[in-house]
Structure formats: C-alpha cells, structure tokens
Amino acid sequence: MAAQARPQLIGAPVAGFADEARRALERHPEARLVVFPELHLFGDGVPDLQREGALRGAAEPLDGPRVEALSALALELGVWLVPGSVCELGPHGELFNTQIVLSPEGRLAGSYRKIFPWRPHEPYEPGNRFVVVDLDGLGRVGLNICYDAWFPETTRQLAWMGAEVILNVVKTTTADRAQELVLARANAIVNQVFVVSVNCAGPTGMGRSIIVDPEGEALAEAPDAAPALLAADLDLAAVARVRTHGTAGVNRMWSQFRPGEPAIPLPVYQGRIDPATWQPATSPSESTGHVDVAPAPIRSTP
C-alpha cells in the first residue's frame, strides 16, 4: 500500500505517525507493505535548503530513538513499513536523506542514503551505495528516493542487483510531477520491474502517486494531490514472465547479448557492459545488500 499523505510536522512525536499508519491499515488490513512519501516525518512547507538548521536539529543516527520507535510500530502492526525517508545524522556530522525499511519483526532491514540530492535545493550529502532488500515472501525491493528516478543508472543498477520492485519515495512540490510519471513508467519498462512512486499530498506536494507494472501499465494512480491510499496486488511472477517472453511479447533487454560477444565500454562510468554477466540477480542471497556507487552504475562486474 502506498500512502499519499500530507507530511507530519518536523519534530512531532512518532505517536502521530503511528496513528496515521494504524488508520491506513484499518482501511486496507490486507496490506503487508506500507510505504509513505519522502521525508514524511520532516514537513513544514519550507524548502529544505532554507530549513537546514531545523533538519539538523531533528536528525538522528539510525540507532537513535526515532528509528527505535518506528521499529516498534512495525512490530505492532506486523507489516513491512517504509516511513518514507528520514534525516540521518552521519558519524561525522553529515546530513543524509535516508530511506529505511522496517520488518514485521521490528528490525531495521535496510537503509539507503539518497545518491542524487536535488541540487542546489537540498542540503544533504549524497550516499554512495545502492540497496536492495529481500522482504521474505514479498519479493526484492530496490530503494530509491525522488530525484534518483531522473537518473536511469539508479533503477538499472537496482534491477541488475535483483530488485523486482522499485520503491521510489517522493516529495515533489514543483510542476515536474507530470514528467516524473513518465519516468516511473519508463523506468519500469526499460528494466522490466514494478515501480511504486509515492508522492506527498497537497498542499505541500503535487500528489499523483502511481504504481506501475513491468510493462509500464498503471495498476493504481492518484488523480490529484488529495490524500489517497493506493493498493495493488503485485504479481511478482510478472517480472520473470515479461523478461522471458518480452515486453508486449517482443523486447527482452536482459537477453540482448549472445555468449562470446565483446564487452561494450561505457566511458562515462569508467566501466562496461560485459555480455558474460549482463543479467539480473535471481536469488535473495545474490541481490540483497549494497554496492559502491562508482563505478557501479551499469557496470557488469560486481
């Protein structure tokens, strides 16, 4: 379930968010994964660059009391919980925009620092690792934050690591949400994965959250910026089916190369596509974890 919601006020007790999550699950008790927008717990309507002091004041390390309280909430609800992203205080005082995944057992199952902050408007340091998390029966999800979707390297790398679903948490307050909907579909199509792009609701955000299947079809979509809950049953077998038979029964990008064909250099990444290893990971043990951002994007060797 994707919750297109208005941001909680920065510094507000986690109890308010807990009530919000409980109400969402009352409406969709069948949900096993609940995803909220980017920086959902850090809202006040002021652009991030203008409120860096407030963000730093609210930032905590991931072993701090905020994530501890959110972990307890995931345990109480018995669901996989992505409370958007949080302001993480790094070990040297850095400020990161970090997406977290909490398990139904109440543990921090994965975290991802946004690699592409929206420069020059955001005060965050960039992360340097891609992250895919195995959700124990719900598939493998790649973590992705807002502006990351504008860089095709990010979704391609996550798909190559074995992601079947891309969780793109968003806080788009500007007029480019229409283009982001195109990107959500395009990233799904060219990587043959599901994309869940959940934006914050108005008046802060532009809304229009969307869940897209591996062929680019919208399974659920919010028509406007009003608060909304999008629910969809993701048939993960569709990923293998589309990759086997082709998008629209035609295109099989992950089967593009034949054995023995030469590698294709990609100078912009100081890397290459090697036909010998140009294929996505297929097991949780292969796909879960992190890889360095450079020169990893689209590089064929781990």
Side-chain angles (χ1 to χ4, degrees):
M1 175 172 58
Q4 178 172 293
R6 299 185 178 102
Q8 298 274 332
L9 288 177
I10 190 169
V14 171
F17 171 68
D19 289 341
E20 180 181 31
R22 293 185 190 107
R23 290 192 298 270
L25 280 167
E26 287 173 359
R27 292 181 56 187
H28 290 280
E30 77 286 354
R32 299 170 63 193
L33 168 66
V34 183
V35 185
F36 284 85
E38 178 186 17
L39 296 171
H40 182 62
L41 303 179
F42 297 83
D44 65 3
V46 179
D48 288 351
L49 201 62
Q50 297 177 25
R51 62 186 184 116
E52 184 173 354
L55 292 170
R56 287 195 174 278
E60 296 178 1
L62 295 185
D63 58 359
R66 179 181 293 110
V67 172
E68 182 179 354
L70 292 169
S71 298
L73 176 61
L75 176 64
E76 173 200 327
L77 299 177
V79 298
W80 291 94
L81 178 63
V82 179
S85 60
V86 298
C87 287
E88 178 194 356
L89 185 65
H92 305 292
E94 312 98 319
L95 190 64
F96 295 104
N97 185 349
T98 302
Q99 186 178 1
I100 60 174
V101 179
L102 305 163
S103 79
E105 295 75 34
R107 63 182 176 85
L108 179 62
S111 64
Y112 162 71
R113 293 169 173 170
K114 187 175 184 179
I115 287 176
F116 293 104
W118 189 38
R119 300 280 173 76
H121 308 287
E122 294 181 352
Y124 310 104
E125 295 296 318
N128 65 356
R129 294 181 183 273
F130 295 96
V131 179
V132 172
V133 182
D134 184 67
L135 299 193
D136 297 340
L138 291 184
R140 298 177 292 275
V141 300
L143 306 186
N144 192 265
I145 302 176
C146 202
Y147 200 44
D148 289 331
W150 288 76
F151 296 83
E153 302 86 350
T154 60
T155 309
R156 174 55 51 83
Q157 178 68 32
L158 293 170
W160 182 83
M161 291 171 66
E164 300 159 296
V165 182
I166 305 299
L167 299 182
N168 177 232
V169 297
V170 180
K171 184 184 177 184
T172 294
T173 63
T174 48
D176 54 346
R177 184 58 183 165
Q179 285 75 23
E180 289 181 343
L181 297 179
V182 176
L183 293 174
R185 287 189 164 95
N187 281 323
I189 291 168
V190 299
N191 295 290
Q192 297 174 323
V193 293
F194 289 93
V195 171
V196 178
S197 179
V198 53
N199 191 19
C200 60
T204 300
M206 302 297 288
R208 300 184 68 187
S209 300
I210 191 169
I211 301 174
V212 185
D213 78 4
E215 293 187 279
E217 295 296 325
L219 300 178
E221 186 172 3
D224 52 31
L229 297 175
L230 303 186
D233 185 9
L234 305 188
D235 176 14
L236 297 182
V239 174
R241 185 166 59 249
V242 171
R243 290 178 179 179
T244 298
H245 299 291
T247 300
V250 179
N251 299 310
R252 298 164 58 233
M253 295 82 70
W254 292 109
S255 302
Q256 175 65 25
F257 300 103
R258 291 174 292 190
E261 291 186 332
I264 299 172
L266 299 172
V268 69
Y269 305 119
Q270 299 179 7
R272 68 186 188 277
I273 295 175
D274 188 339
T277 55
W278 175 252
Q279 56 188 354
T282 56
S283 71
S285 62
E286 290 178 291
S287 64
T288 301
H290 311 68
V291 297
D292 292 338
V293 64
I298 314 189
R299 193 167 187 174
S300 61
T301 54

